[in-house]
Amino acid sequence: MSRPIIVFDLDGTLIDTAPDLLDSLNHSLAASELTAVDEAGFRRFVGHGGRVMIERAHAAQQRSLAVAEHDRLLKLFLDHYTDNIPGKSRPYPGVIEAIARFEKAGYLLAICTNKYEANSLALIEALGLTKHFAAIAGQDTFAFRKPDPRHLTETVNRAGGDPHRALMVGDSQTDIDTAKAAGIPVVAVDFGYTDRHVHEFEPSAVISHFDELTLDLADRLIRAAGH
């Protein structure tokens, strides 16, 4: 029988990247002479990538955004973010212990994120976590991305896992919708980057700390999905 696998989203799930994403967003906004976004306001914009963050930040300040300008600001955002990895980004409390717990139990681990693959790899490497993941798939790894379920199932396949013995862990409606479409159970963390509580998206379970991501919970959800 194949080893079970847990596939994690990255930003807002495994790693708190908000401080660095906020810095990069404000770096790009300064180029448009827009007011900087504070941490509270930022939470409304984050979760769908740099392009959407820039668009939402402009809309919040009643500023239109031409395509060419949008592209220019996105490049500023990405260059600033890439040049400062890992910055202030750190794993959420309990992540390192959860990784050790599931590795000891024989689980495969992988990452499926809508962050660009190069930035994802660079961040995980800078934090010293690369060795723990059998696959790290970004938005440009395949010809499709979340919420397309193939992004998740192909990440599982790339890691050497079985989609029928898989669990997704994420923080957003996109993660939950992706897992449901793939027929994979999903645990939602309630501390990530979403402007609505994850309960509303009806995940298989909700946790508030990685200590709650137990072997028993994972085994139970995977078994239930296989029935």
Side-chain angles (χ1 to χ4, degrees):
M1 182 179 290
S2 60
R3 294 165 63 186
I5 182 169
I6 299 185
V7 183
F8 298 92
D9 175 53
L10 187 52
D11 294 12
T13 299
L14 273 183
I15 311 297
D16 184 7
T17 54
D20 299 305
L21 294 172
L22 175 59
D23 286 349
S24 295
L25 175 62
N26 283 331
H27 176 74
S28 70
L29 294 180
S32 290
E33 299 183 346
L34 263 66
T35 304
V37 175
D38 61 19
E39 184 175 352
F42 170 70
R43 298 283 170 165
R44 303 199 316 269
F45 307 141
V46 73
H48 297 276
R51 182 174 291 277
V52 174
M53 278 194 284
I54 292 166
E55 180 181 354
R56 289 180 175 179
H58 277 71
Q61 298 186 41
Q62 288 79 51
R63 285 281 295 273
S64 59
L65 192 56
V67 172
E69 178 67 358
H70 203 167
D71 291 343
R72 182 181 78 88
L73 296 179
L74 178 62
K75 185 177 188 308
L76 287 175
F77 172 93
L78 291 173
D79 287 349
H80 183 272
Y81 181 80
T82 301
D83 290 345
N84 289 282
I85 289 173
K88 305 166 194 168
S89 296
R90 295 294 181 271
Y92 281 103
V95 163
I96 303 302
E97 294 81 0
I99 287 172
R101 183 162 64 245
F102 283 96
E103 282 186 328
K104 184 177 180 181
Y107 273 72
L108 292 166
L109 304 176
I111 291 172
C112 178
T113 174
N114 277 344
K115 195 185 200 76
Y116 286 103
E117 181 185 291
N119 283 343
S120 303
L121 293 169
L123 176 60
I124 293 301
E125 177 64 28
L127 294 174
L129 299 175
T130 304
K131 64 183 179 182
H132 299 294
F133 297 100
I136 299 174
Q139 68 160 267
D140 52 341
T141 301
F142 307 113
F144 34 78
R145 56 182 283 189
K146 296 184 295 187
D148 189 315
R150 294 175 296 172
H151 192 180
L152 175 54
T153 55
E154 287 305 308
T155 300
V156 171
N157 291 334
R158 176 172 285 204
D162 178 353
H164 297 292
R165 301 198 72 209
L167 176 68
M168 175 79 187
V169 180
D171 72 310
S172 69
Q173 182 176 7
T174 298
D175 296 321
I176 295 166
D177 288 349
T178 301
K180 287 181 177 180
I184 291 174
V186 55
V187 172
V189 301
D190 66 4
F191 47 75
Y193 308 151
T194 178
D195 54 1
R196 292 165 59 189
H197 197 282
V198 288
H199 275 296
E200 295 182 34
F201 311 126
E202 300 182 347
S204 309
V206 176
I207 60 172
S208 299
H209 191 286
F210 269 94
D211 288 352
E212 299 171 43
L213 186 64
T214 62
L215 289 167
D216 177 70
L217 175 62
D219 289 345
R220 178 162 46 85
L221 292 175
I222 291 172
R223 282 198 309 271
H227 289 167

